[in-house]
Coordinates of all heavy atoms in Angstrom, one line a residue:
M20 N 0.8 -1.2 0.0 CA 0.0 0.0 0.0 C 0.9 1.2 0.0 O 1.9 1.3 0.7 CB -0.9 0.0 1.2 CG -1.9 1.1 1.3 SD -3.1 0.9 2.5 CE -4.4 0.1 1.6
I21 N 0.5 2.2 -0.8 CA 1.4 3.4 -0.9 C 0.6 4.6 -0.3 O -0.7 4.7 -0.5 CB 1.6 3.8 -2.3 CG1 2.5 2.7 -2.9 CG2 2.3 5.1 -2.5 CD1 2.9 2.8 -4.3
Y22 N 1.2 5.4 0.5 CA 0.7 6.6 1.2 C 1.5 7.8 0.8 O 2.7 7.7 0.6 CB 0.7 6.4 2.8 CG -0.2 5.5 3.2 CD1 0.2 4.1 3.6 CD2 -1.5 5.7 3.6 CE1 -0.7 3.2 4.1 CE2 -2.4 4.9 4.2 CZ -2.0 3.5 4.4 OH -2.9 2.7 4.9
T23 N 0.8 9.0 0.8 CA 1.6 10.1 0.7 C 2.3 10.5 2.0 O 1.8 10.1 3.1 CB 0.7 11.3 0.3 OG1 -0.2 11.6 1.3 CG2 -0.1 11.0 -1.0
I24 N 3.4 11.2 1.9 CA 4.0 11.7 3.1 C 3.1 12.6 4.0 O 3.2 12.5 5.2 CB 5.4 12.4 2.8 CG1 6.3 12.5 4.0 CG2 5.2 13.7 2.1 CD1 6.9 11.2 4.5
E25 N 2.3 13.3 3.4 CA 1.3 14.2 4.0 C 0.3 13.3 4.8 O 0.1 13.5 6.0 CB 0.5 14.9 2.9 CG -0.6 15.9 3.5 CD 0.1 17.2 3.7 OE1 1.1 17.6 3.3 OE2 -0.6 18.0 4.5
K26 N -0.2 12.3 4.3 CA -1.0 11.3 5.0 C -0.3 10.7 6.2 O -0.9 10.6 7.3 CB -1.6 10.2 4.0 CG -2.5 9.3 4.7 CD -3.8 9.9 5.1 CE -4.8 8.8 5.6 NZ -6.0 9.4 6.0
I27 N 0.9 10.2 6.0 CA 1.7 9.6 7.1 C 1.9 10.6 8.2 O 1.8 10.3 9.4 CB 3.0 9.0 6.5 CG1 2.7 7.9 5.6 CG2 3.9 8.6 7.7 CD1 3.8 7.3 4.8
T28 N 2.2 11.9 7.9 CA 2.4 12.9 8.8 C 1.2 13.1 9.7 O 1.3 13.1 10.9 CB 2.9 14.2 8.2 OG1 4.0 14.0 7.4 CG2 3.1 15.3 9.2
T29 N 0.0 13.2 9.0 CA -1.3 13.3 9.7 C -1.5 12.1 10.6 O -1.9 12.3 11.8 CB -2.4 13.5 8.7 OG1 -2.1 14.6 7.9 CG2 -3.7 13.7 9.5
L30 N -1.3 10.9 10.2 CA -1.7 9.7 10.9 C -0.7 9.6 12.2 O -1.2 9.1 13.2 CB -1.4 8.4 10.1 CG -2.5 8.2 8.9 CD1 -2.0 7.1 8.0 CD2 -3.8 7.9 9.5
M31 N 0.6 10.0 12.0 CA 1.5 10.0 13.2 C 1.3 11.1 14.1 O 1.9 11.1 15.2 CB 2.9 9.9 12.7 CG 3.3 8.7 11.8 SD 5.0 8.7 11.3 CE 5.9 9.1 12.7
G32 N 0.7 12.2 13.6 CA 0.7 13.4 14.4 C 2.0 14.1 14.6 O 2.4 14.6 15.6
A33 N 2.8 13.9 13.5 CA 4.2 14.4 13.5 C 4.2 15.9 13.0 O 3.3 16.3 12.3 CB 5.0 13.5 12.7
R34 N 5.4 16.5 13.3 CA 5.6 17.8 12.7 C 6.5 17.6 11.4 O 7.5 17.0 11.5 CB 6.4 18.7 13.6 CG 6.7 20.0 13.1 CD 7.3 20.9 14.1 NE 8.6 20.4 14.6 CZ 9.8 20.9 14.1 NH1 9.8 21.8 13.2 NH2 10.9 20.4 14.5
R35 N 6.1 18.0 10.3 CA 6.7 17.8 9.1 C 7.7 19.0 8.7 O 7.1 20.1 8.8 CB 5.6 17.7 7.9 CG 6.2 17.4 6.6 CD 5.1 17.2 5.6 NE 5.6 17.1 4.3 CZ 4.9 17.4 3.2 NH1 3.6 17.5 3.3 NH2 5.5 17.3 2.0
I36 N 8.8 18.6 8.3 CA 9.7 19.6 7.9 C 9.9 19.4 6.4 O 10.5 18.3 6.0 CB 11.1 19.6 8.5 CG1 10.9 19.9 10.0 CG2 12.0 20.6 7.9 CD1 12.1 19.7 10.9
G37 N 9.6 20.2 5.5 CA 9.6 20.0 4.0 C 8.2 20.0 3.4 O 7.2 20.0 4.0
H38 N 8.3 20.3 2.1 CA 7.0 20.5 1.3 C 6.8 19.6 0.1 O 5.8 19.8 -0.5 CB 6.8 21.9 1.1 CG 6.8 22.8 2.3 ND1 5.8 22.7 3.3 CD2 7.8 23.6 2.8 CE1 6.1 23.6 4.3 NE2 7.3 24.1 4.0
A39 N 7.9 19.0 -0.3 CA 7.9 18.2 -1.6 C 6.9 17.1 -1.4 O 6.8 16.5 -0.4 CB 9.3 17.8 -1.9
D40 N 6.3 16.7 -2.5 CA 5.4 15.6 -2.5 C 6.3 14.3 -2.4 O 7.3 14.3 -3.1 CB 4.5 15.6 -3.8 CG 3.5 16.7 -3.8 OD1 3.1 17.1 -2.7 OD2 3.1 17.1 -4.9
A41 N 5.8 13.3 -1.8 CA 6.5 12.1 -1.8 C 5.5 10.9 -1.5 O 4.5 11.1 -0.9 CB 7.5 12.0 -0.6
K42 N 5.6 9.9 -2.2 CA 4.8 8.6 -2.0 C 5.6 7.6 -1.3 O 6.8 7.3 -1.7 CB 4.4 8.1 -3.4 CG 3.6 9.1 -4.2 CD 2.2 8.6 -4.5 CE 1.5 9.6 -5.4 NZ 0.7 10.6 -4.8
I43 N 5.1 7.0 -0.2 CA 5.9 6.1 0.6 C 5.2 4.7 0.4 O 4.1 4.5 0.7 CB 5.8 6.5 2.0 CG1 6.4 7.9 2.2 CG2 6.6 5.5 2.9 CD1 7.8 8.0 1.8
G44 N 6.0 3.8 -0.1 CA 5.6 2.4 -0.2 C 6.4 1.4 0.7 O 6.1 0.3 0.8
W45 N 7.5 2.0 1.3 CA 8.4 1.1 2.2 C 8.7 1.8 3.4 O 9.1 3.0 3.5 CB 9.6 0.8 1.4 CG 9.4 0.1 0.1 CD1 9.2 0.7 -1.1 CD2 9.2 -1.3 -0.1 NE1 9.0 -0.3 -2.1 CE2 8.9 -1.6 -1.4 CE3 9.3 -2.4 0.8 CZ2 8.7 -2.8 -2.0 CZ3 9.1 -3.6 0.3 CH2 8.8 -3.9 -1.1
L46 N 8.6 1.1 4.6 CA 9.1 1.6 5.9 C 10.3 0.9 6.2 O 10.4 -0.4 6.0 CB 8.0 1.3 7.0 CG 6.6 1.8 6.7 CD1 5.7 1.5 7.8 CD2 6.7 3.4 6.5
L47 N 11.3 1.6 6.7 CA 12.6 1.0 7.0 C 13.1 1.4 8.3 O 13.0 2.5 8.8 CB 13.6 1.6 5.9 CG 15.0 1.2 5.9 CD1 15.1 -0.4 5.5 CD2 15.9 1.9 5.0
T48 N 13.7 0.4 9.0 CA 14.2 0.5 10.3 C 15.7 0.1 10.4 O 16.4 0.4 11.3 CB 13.4 -0.1 11.5 OG1 13.4 -1.5 11.3 CG2 12.1 0.5 11.6
D49 N 16.1 -0.7 9.4 CA 17.4 -1.3 9.3 C 18.1 -0.8 8.0 O 17.6 -1.2 6.9 CB 17.4 -2.8 9.3 CG 18.7 -3.4 9.4 OD1 19.8 -2.8 9.0 OD2 18.9 -4.6 9.7
S50 N 19.0 0.1 8.0 CA 19.6 0.6 6.8 C 20.1 -0.3 5.9 O 20.4 0.0 4.7 CB 20.7 1.7 7.2 OG 21.8 1.1 7.9
R51 N 20.5 -1.5 6.4 CA 21.2 -2.5 5.5 C 20.1 -3.2 4.6 O 20.4 -3.8 3.6 CB 21.7 -3.6 6.3 CG 22.9 -3.1 7.2 CD 23.3 -4.2 8.2 NE 22.2 -4.3 9.2 CZ 22.2 -5.1 10.2 NH1 23.3 -6.0 10.4 NH2 21.2 -5.3 11.1
S52 N 18.8 -2.9 4.8 CA 17.7 -3.5 4.0 C 17.2 -2.7 2.9 O 16.1 -2.9 2.4 CB 16.6 -4.0 4.9 OG 17.1 -4.9 5.9
L53 N 17.8 -1.5 2.6 CA 17.2 -0.6 1.7 C 17.1 -1.2 0.3 O 18.1 -1.7 -0.3 CB 18.2 0.6 1.6 CG 17.8 1.8 0.8 CD1 16.3 2.4 1.1 CD2 18.8 2.9 0.7
C54 N 15.9 -1.0 -0.4 CA 15.7 -1.4 -1.6 C 15.2 -0.3 -2.6 O 15.7 -0.3 -3.7 CB 14.7 -2.6 -1.7 SG 15.4 -4.1 -1.0
F55 N 14.3 0.4 -2.2 CA 13.7 1.4 -3.0 C 13.8 2.8 -2.3 O 12.7 3.3 -1.7 CB 12.2 1.1 -3.3 CG 12.1 -0.3 -3.9 CD1 11.8 -1.4 -3.1 CD2 12.2 -0.4 -5.2 CE1 11.6 -2.6 -3.8 CE2 12.1 -1.7 -5.9 CZ 11.8 -2.8 -5.2
P56 N 14.9 3.4 -2.4 CA 15.2 4.7 -1.6 C 14.0 5.8 -1.9 O 13.7 6.5 -1.0 CB 16.6 5.1 -2.0 CG 16.9 4.3 -3.3 CD 16.0 3.2 -3.3
E57 N 13.7 5.9 -3.2 CA 12.8 7.0 -3.5 C 11.4 6.9 -2.9 O 10.6 7.8 -2.7 CB 12.7 7.2 -5.0 CG 12.1 6.1 -5.7 CD 13.0 4.9 -5.9 OE1 14.2 5.0 -5.7 OE2 12.5 3.8 -6.3
E58 N 11.0 5.7 -2.4 CA 9.7 5.4 -1.8 C 9.8 5.0 -0.3 O 8.9 4.4 0.2 CB 9.0 4.2 -2.6 CG 8.7 4.6 -4.0 CD 8.0 3.5 -4.7 OE1 7.7 2.4 -4.1 OE2 7.8 3.6 -6.0
T59 N 11.0 5.2 0.3 CA 11.2 4.7 1.6 C 11.1 5.8 2.7 O 11.5 7.0 2.4 CB 12.6 4.1 1.7 OG1 12.6 2.9 0.9 CG2 13.1 3.8 3.1
L60 N 10.5 5.5 3.8 CA 10.5 6.3 5.0 C 11.3 5.6 6.1 O 10.9 4.4 6.4 CB 9.0 6.5 5.4 CG 8.9 7.3 6.8 CD1 9.4 8.7 6.6 CD2 7.4 7.3 7.1
F61 N 12.4 6.2 6.4 CA 13.3 5.6 7.4 C 12.9 6.0 8.9 O 12.9 7.3 9.1 CB 14.8 5.9 7.1 CG 15.7 5.4 8.1 CD1 16.0 4.0 8.2 CD2 16.4 6.2 9.0 CE1 16.8 3.5 9.2 CE2 17.3 5.7 9.9 CZ 17.6 4.3 10.0
F62 N 12.7 5.2 9.7 CA 12.5 5.5 11.2 C 13.8 5.3 11.9 O 14.4 4.3 12.0 CB 11.5 4.5 11.8 CG 10.1 4.7 11.4 CD1 9.7 4.4 10.0 CD2 9.2 5.4 12.2 CE1 8.3 4.6 9.7 CE2 7.9 5.7 11.8 CZ 7.5 5.2 10.5
A63 N 14.3 6.4 12.4 CA 15.7 6.4 13.0 C 15.3 6.0 14.5 O 15.1 6.9 15.3 CB 16.3 7.8 13.0
L64 N 15.3 4.9 14.9 CA 15.0 4.3 16.2 C 16.3 4.3 17.1 O 17.3 3.9 16.6 CB 14.4 2.9 16.0 CG 13.1 2.8 15.2 CD1 12.6 1.4 15.2 CD2 12.1 3.8 15.8
R65 N 16.1 4.5 18.3 CA 17.2 4.3 19.3 C 17.0 3.0 20.1 O 15.8 2.7 20.4 CB 17.2 5.4 20.4 CG 17.7 6.7 19.8 CD 17.7 7.8 20.9 NE 17.8 9.1 20.4 CZ 18.9 9.8 20.6 NH1 19.9 9.4 21.2 NH2 18.9 11.0 20.0
S66 N 18.0 2.3 20.4 CA 17.9 1.1 21.3 C 19.1 1.1 22.3 O 19.8 2.1 22.2 CB 17.9 -0.2 20.4 OG 19.2 -0.3 19.9
Q67 N 19.2 0.2 23.1 CA 20.3 0.1 24.0 C 21.6 -0.1 23.2 O 22.7 0.3 23.7 CB 20.1 -1.0 25.0 CG 19.0 -0.7 26.0 CD 18.9 -1.8 27.0 OE1 19.0 -3.0 26.7 NE2 18.5 -1.4 28.2
R68 N 21.5 -0.8 22.1 CA 22.9 -1.1 21.4 C 23.0 -0.3 20.2 O 24.2 -0.3 19.7 CB 22.6 -2.6 20.9 CG 22.5 -3.7 22.0 CD 22.4 -5.1 21.6 NE 22.9 -5.3 20.3 CZ 22.8 -6.4 19.6 NH1 21.8 -7.3 20.0 NH2 23.3 -6.6 18.5
N69 N 22.1 0.5 19.7 CA 22.4 1.3 18.5 C 21.5 2.6 18.5 O 20.6 2.7 19.2 CB 22.1 0.4 17.3 CG 23.0 0.9 16.1 OD1 23.6 1.9 16.1 ND2 23.0 0.0 15.1
D70 N 21.8 3.4 17.5 CA 21.0 4.6 17.3 C 20.8 4.8 15.8 O 21.8 5.0 15.1 CB 21.7 5.9 17.9 CG 20.9 7.1 17.9 OD1 19.9 7.1 17.1 OD2 21.3 8.1 18.5
G71 N 19.7 4.7 15.3 CA 19.4 4.8 13.9 C 19.7 6.2 13.3 O 19.9 6.3 12.1
H72 N 19.8 7.2 14.1 CA 20.1 8.6 13.7 C 21.5 8.6 13.0 O 21.8 9.4 12.1 CB 20.0 9.6 14.8 CG 18.6 9.7 15.3 ND1 18.1 8.9 16.3 CD2 17.6 10.6 15.0 CE1 16.8 9.2 16.5 NE2 16.5 10.2 15.7
K73 N 22.3 7.8 13.4 CA 23.7 7.8 12.8 C 23.8 7.3 11.4 O 24.8 7.4 10.8 CB 24.7 7.2 13.7 CG 24.6 5.7 14.0 CD 25.6 5.2 15.1 CE 25.5 3.8 15.3 NZ 26.4 3.3 16.3
Y74 N 22.7 6.7 10.9 CA 22.7 6.1 9.6 C 22.0 7.1 8.6 O 21.9 6.8 7.3 CB 21.9 4.8 9.5 CG 22.7 3.8 10.5 CD1 22.1 3.5 11.7 CD2 23.9 3.2 10.0 CE1 22.8 2.6 12.5 CE2 24.6 2.4 10.8 CZ 24.0 2.1 12.1 OH 24.7 1.2 12.9
I75 N 21.5 8.2 9.0 CA 20.8 9.1 8.2 C 21.6 9.6 7.0 O 21.2 9.6 5.8 CB 20.2 10.3 8.9 CG1 19.1 9.8 9.9 CG2 19.7 11.4 8.1 CD1 18.6 10.8 10.9
D76 N 22.9 10.1 7.3 CA 23.8 10.5 6.3 C 24.0 9.4 5.2 O 23.9 9.8 3.9 CB 25.2 10.9 6.8 CG 25.1 12.2 7.6 OD1 24.2 13.1 7.3 OD2 26.0 12.4 8.4
D77 N 24.3 8.3 5.5 CA 24.5 7.2 4.5 C 23.2 7.0 3.8 O 23.2 6.9 2.4 CB 24.9 5.9 5.2 CG 25.1 4.8 4.2 OD1 25.9 4.9 3.3 OD2 24.5 3.7 4.3
L78 N 22.1 6.9 4.3 CA 20.9 6.7 3.6 C 20.5 7.9 2.7 O 20.0 7.7 1.6 CB 19.7 6.5 4.6 CG 19.7 5.1 5.3 CD1 18.7 5.0 6.4 CD2 19.4 4.0 4.4
Y79 N 20.8 9.1 3.1 CA 20.6 10.3 2.2 C 21.4 10.2 1.0 O 21.0 10.3 -0.1 CB 20.9 11.5 3.1 CG 20.5 12.8 2.3 CD1 19.3 13.3 2.4 CD2 21.5 13.5 1.5 CE1 18.9 14.4 1.7 CE2 21.1 14.6 0.7 CZ 19.8 15.0 0.9 OH 19.5 16.2 0.2
R80 N 22.7 9.8 1.2 CA 23.7 9.6 0.0 C 23.1 8.5 -0.9 O 23.3 8.6 -2.2 CB 25.0 9.1 0.5 CG 25.9 10.2 0.9 CD 27.4 9.8 1.2 NE 27.9 10.6 2.2 CZ 28.0 10.4 3.5 NH1 27.4 9.4 4.0 NH2 28.6 11.3 4.3
R81 N 22.3 7.5 -0.3 CA 21.8 6.4 -1.2 C 20.4 6.7 -1.7 O 19.8 5.8 -2.3 CB 21.8 5.2 -0.3 CG 23.2 4.7 0.0 CD 23.2 3.7 1.2 NE 22.5 2.5 0.9 CZ 22.2 1.5 1.8 NH1 22.6 1.7 3.1 NH2 21.6 0.5 1.5
G82 N 19.9 7.9 -1.5 CA 18.7 8.3 -2.1 C 17.4 8.4 -1.3 O 16.4 8.9 -1.7
V83 N 17.6 8.1 0.0 CA 16.4 8.3 0.9 C 16.2 9.7 1.2 O 17.2 10.5 1.5 CB 16.6 7.4 2.2 CG1 15.4 7.7 3.2 CG2 16.7 6.0 1.9
R84 N 15.0 10.2 1.1 CA 14.7 11.6 1.4 C 13.6 11.9 2.5 O 13.2 12.9 2.7 CB 14.2 12.4 0.1 CG 15.4 12.4 -1.0 CD 16.5 13.3 -0.5 NE 17.6 13.4 -1.5 CZ 18.6 12.7 -1.6 NH1 18.8 11.6 -0.7 NH2 19.5 12.8 -2.5
N85 N 13.1 10.8 3.1 CA 12.1 10.8 4.0 C 12.6 10.1 5.3 O 12.8 8.9 5.2 CB 10.9 10.1 3.5 CG 10.4 10.9 2.2 OD1 9.9 12.0 2.2 ND2 10.7 10.3 1.0
F86 N 12.5 10.8 6.4 CA 13.0 10.3 7.7 C 12.1 10.6 8.8 O 11.5 11.7 8.9 CB 14.4 10.9 8.0 CG 15.4 10.7 6.9 CD1 15.5 11.6 5.9 CD2 16.2 9.5 6.9 CE1 16.4 11.4 4.9 CE2 17.2 9.4 6.0 CZ 17.4 10.3 5.0
V87 N 12.0 9.7 9.8 CA 11.3 10.0 11.1 C 12.4 10.0 12.1 O 13.1 9.0 12.2 CB 10.3 8.9 11.5 CG1 9.7 9.2 12.8 CG2 9.2 8.9 10.4
V88 N 12.6 11.2 12.8 CA 13.7 11.4 13.7 C 13.2 12.0 15.0 O 12.0 12.5 15.1 CB 14.7 12.3 13.2 CG1 15.4 11.8 11.9 CG2 14.2 13.7 12.9
E89 N 14.0 11.9 16.1 CA 13.7 12.5 17.3 C 14.1 13.9 17.2 O 15.2 14.2 16.7 CB 14.4 11.9 18.4 CG 13.8 10.5 18.9 CD 14.6 10.0 20.0 OE1 14.9 10.7 21.0 OE2 14.9 8.8 20.0
N90 N 13.3 14.9 17.6 CA 13.6 16.3 17.6 C 15.0 16.6 18.2 O 15.7 17.3 17.6 CB 12.5 17.1 18.3 CG 12.2 18.4 17.7 OD1 12.7 18.6 16.6 ND2 11.5 19.2 18.3
S91 N 15.3 16.0 19.3 CA 16.5 16.3 20.0 C 17.7 15.8 19.3 O 18.9 16.2 19.5 CB 16.5 15.7 21.4 OG 16.4 14.3 21.3
S92 N 17.5 14.9 18.3 CA 18.7 14.3 17.6 C 19.0 15.1 16.3 O 20.0 14.7 15.7 CB 18.4 12.8 17.3 OG 18.3 12.1 18.4
L93 N 18.2 15.9 15.8 CA 18.3 16.5 14.5 C 19.8 17.1 14.4 O 20.5 16.7 13.4 CB 17.4 17.6 14.3 CG 16.1 17.2 13.6 CD1 15.1 18.4 13.6 CD2 16.3 16.7 12.2
T94 N 20.2 17.9 15.2 CA 21.4 18.6 15.0 C 22.6 17.8 15.4 O 23.7 17.9 14.7 CB 21.5 20.0 15.7 OG1 21.4 19.7 17.1 CG2 20.5 21.0 15.2
S95 N 22.5 16.9 16.3 CA 23.7 16.2 16.7 C 24.1 15.0 15.7 O 25.2 14.6 15.8 CB 23.5 15.6 18.2 OG 22.3 14.7 18.1
H96 N 23.3 14.6 14.9 CA 23.5 13.5 14.0 C 23.5 13.8 12.5 O 23.8 13.0 11.7 CB 22.5 12.3 14.2 CG 22.6 11.7 15.5 ND1 23.6 10.8 15.7 CD2 21.9 11.7 16.7 CE1 23.5 10.3 17.0 NE2 22.5 10.9 17.5
L97 N 23.3 15.0 12.2 CA 23.4 15.4 10.7 C 24.6 16.1 10.4 O 25.1 17.0 10.9 CB 22.2 16.3 10.4 CG 20.8 15.7 10.7 CD1 19.7 16.8 10.3 CD2 20.6 14.5 9.9
S98 N 25.3 15.5 9.3 CA 26.6 16.1 8.9 C 26.3 17.2 8.0 O 25.2 17.5 7.6 CB 27.3 15.0 8.1 OG 26.8 14.7 6.8
P99 N 27.3 17.9 7.5 CA 27.1 18.9 6.5 C 26.3 18.5 5.2 O 25.7 19.2 4.6 CB 28.5 19.4 6.1 CG 29.3 19.0 7.3 CD 28.7 17.8 7.8
L100 N 26.4 17.2 4.9 CA 25.7 16.7 3.7 C 24.1 16.8 4.0 O 23.5 17.3 3.0 CB 26.0 15.2 3.5 CG 25.2 14.6 2.4 CD1 25.5 15.1 1.0 CD2 25.4 13.1 2.4
T101 N 23.7 16.3 5.1 CA 22.2 16.4 5.3 C 21.8 17.5 6.2 O 20.5 17.7 6.3 CB 21.7 15.1 5.9 OG1 22.5 14.8 7.1 CG2 21.8 14.0 4.9
S102 N 22.6 18.3 6.7 CA 22.2 19.5 7.5 C 21.4 20.6 6.7 O 20.7 21.3 7.3 CB 23.4 20.1 8.3 OG 24.3 20.7 7.3
H103 N 21.6 20.5 5.4 CA 20.9 21.4 4.6 C 19.6 20.9 4.1 O 19.0 21.4 3.2 CB 21.7 21.9 3.4 CG 21.9 20.8 2.3 ND1 22.7 19.7 2.6 CD2 21.3 20.6 1.3 CE1 22.7 18.8 1.6 NE2 21.7 19.3 0.8
L104 N 19.1 19.7 4.6 CA 17.8 19.2 4.1 C 16.8 20.3 3.7 O 16.3 21.0 4.5 CB 17.3 18.2 5.1 CG 18.0 17.0 5.4 CD1 17.4 16.2 6.5 CD2 18.2 16.1 4.2
S105 N 16.6 20.3 2.4 CA 15.8 21.4 1.9 C 14.3 21.0 2.0 O 14.0 19.9 1.8 CB 16.1 21.5 0.4 OG 15.1 22.2 -0.3
P106 N 13.5 22.0 2.2 CA 12.0 21.7 2.2 C 11.5 21.3 0.8 O 10.5 20.7 0.7 CB 11.4 23.1 2.6 CG 12.5 23.9 3.2 CD 13.8 23.4 2.7
L107 N 12.3 21.5 -0.1 CA 11.9 21.1 -1.5 C 12.3 19.6 -1.8 O 11.8 19.1 -2.8 CB 12.5 22.0 -2.5 CG 12.2 23.5 -2.4 CD1 12.9 24.3 -3.4 CD2 10.7 23.7 -2.5
T108 N 13.2 19.1 -1.0 CA 13.8 17.8 -1.5 C 13.6 16.7 -0.4 O 13.7 15.6 -0.6 CB 15.3 17.8 -1.8 OG1 16.0 18.2 -0.6 CG2 15.5 18.7 -2.9
S109 N 13.2 17.0 0.9 CA 13.3 16.1 1.9 C 12.3 16.3 2.9 O 11.7 17.4 3.0 CB 14.6 16.1 2.6 OG 15.7 16.0 1.7
H110 N 12.0 15.3 3.7 CA 11.1 15.3 4.8 C 11.6 14.7 6.0 O 12.3 13.7 6.1 CB 9.8 14.6 4.5 CG 9.1 15.2 3.3 ND1 9.3 14.6 2.0 CD2 8.3 16.1 3.2 CE1 8.5 15.3 1.1 NE2 7.9 16.2 1.9
L111 N 11.5 15.5 7.2 CA 11.8 15.0 8.5 C 10.5 15.0 9.4 O 9.8 16.0 9.3 CB 12.8 15.8 9.2 CG 14.2 15.9 8.5 CD1 15.1 16.9 9.3 CD2 14.9 14.5 8.5
L112 N 10.1 13.9 9.9 CA 9.0 13.8 10.6 C 9.3 13.7 12.1 O 10.3 13.0 12.4 CB 8.0 12.7 10.3 CG 7.6 12.6 8.8 CD1 6.8 11.4 8.6 CD2 6.9 13.9 8.4

């Protein structure tokens, strides 16, 4: 099933950063399993053993433009590559 990023934002009650249209067909929590970057929404989850936020730069390089992140992690995990995430090209929820 494919959802728009707008619909997902509404369903999650998230704050959206970005305005470009996107269709999401894949949810990703493990960066090693990426198949369709243009249709993927990556959830940057924290656990006792890992932090998904540290994979955002790599996923961005590989074509992912839609991410769910913790607000407090935005600036501490984004390199110069993704720190400019444009409202025209990317979404952070």
Side-chain angles (χ1 to χ4, degrees):
M20 186 167 266
I21 294 179
Y22 289 94
T23 64
I24 195 70
E25 182 92 14
K26 179 69 171 176
I27 292 170
T28 302
T29 301
L30 290 170
M31 290 178 57
R34 181 175 64 97
R35 179 177 171 199
I36 300 172
H38 302 290
D40 292 330
K42 302 238 187 270
I43 303 299
W45 301 91
L46 303 179
L47 183 67
T48 59
D49 184 339
S50 63
R51 298 170 293 181
S52 301
L53 180 63
C54 291
F55 302 98
E57 65 283 347
E58 295 179 5
T59 293
L60 176 59
F61 178 69
F62 286 79
L64 303 177
R65 289 181 195 250
S66 69
Q67 289 180 326
R68 295 177 32 194
N69 210 349
D70 184 352
H72 295 83
K73 64 185 179 182
Y74 300 103
I75 292 172
D76 285 335
D77 178 56
L78 288 168
Y79 189 87
R80 279 187 205 92
R81 293 166 60 194
V83 176
R84 296 295 184 266
N85 301 286
F86 303 90
V87 176
V88 299
E89 286 184 39
N90 213 13
S91 61
S92 297
L93 266 176
T94 56
S95 63
H96 289 284
L97 299 180
S98 77
L100 174 68
T101 53
S102 64
H103 72 283
L104 288 175
S105 163
L107 300 175
T108 60
S109 304
H110 297 96
L111 297 174
L112 304 181

